[in-house]
Amino acid sequence: MTTELQMLTWSVVLTLIQVVVTVLLATRQVGLPALAGNREGMAELSGMAGRSARAHRNMLENLVLFAALALTVVVTDRSNTLSAAGAQLFFWGRVAYFLVYTAGLPWIRTATWGVSVAGLVVMLLQLIP
């Protein structure tokens, strides 16, 4: 399996971890009955639970881009050391992003997001002839 596909697989694992953490934090904040219900009229999550939920949504948005690039790099046989490095930048940037965002560190959060986007750009550049 290529590094790009390994990082895609680990990114899916990271996304699953994020949803579990978010559910645990949300349960602690609003209670299981509120989460198990239809959520109409439920207050928006705040604090750590809210930041975790926003970080998770951001991961879902970025995972689509990463998956498309990782699969295209592999299918077109453009996988190389740079595309592998880009995939690793994306993954580790996303790990840091989730931890930093959930902890509530705004400027560092933006920097870690930038690292993951740089990884996407590096991968994209490998597809340009």
Side-chain angles (χ1 to χ4, degrees):
M1 184 183 304
T2 66
T3 300
E4 297 85 358
L5 293 180
Q6 288 174 358
M7 293 298 100
L8 179 56
T9 302
W10 282 112
S11 293
V12 170
V13 171
L14 175 61
T15 306
L16 289 170
I17 290 169
Q18 289 178 1
V19 76
V20 169
V21 168
T22 300
V23 166
L24 292 173
L25 290 170
T27 301
R28 195 167 146 208
Q29 186 174 102
V30 299
L32 187 56
L35 290 178
N38 60 20
R39 299 185 186 188
E40 290 178 6
M42 187 174 90
E44 188 173 329
L45 296 173
S46 62
M48 191 176 257
R51 291 189 303 271
S52 178
R54 290 188 297 278
H56 174 68
R57 280 192 301 271
N58 188 271
M59 179 62 175
L60 292 173
E61 294 167 1
N62 284 272
L63 185 59
V64 171
L65 301 173
F66 178 62
L69 287 171
L71 294 171
T72 303
V73 161
V74 171
V75 169
T76 61
D77 201 28
R78 299 275 177 101
S79 178
N80 59 36
T81 55
L82 284 174
S83 63
Q88 291 170 333
L89 271 175
F90 174 83
F91 175 74
W92 291 110
R94 296 310 306 188
V95 169
Y97 180 84
F98 182 70
L99 295 172
V100 167
Y101 195 169
T102 301
L105 306 169
W107 290 100
I108 299 170
R109 178 195 82 211
T110 302
T112 59
W113 175 83
V115 168
S116 68
V117 170
L120 294 175
V121 170
V122 168
M123 292 176 71
L124 179 61
L125 291 175
Q126 304 317 298
L127 296 171
I128 299 172

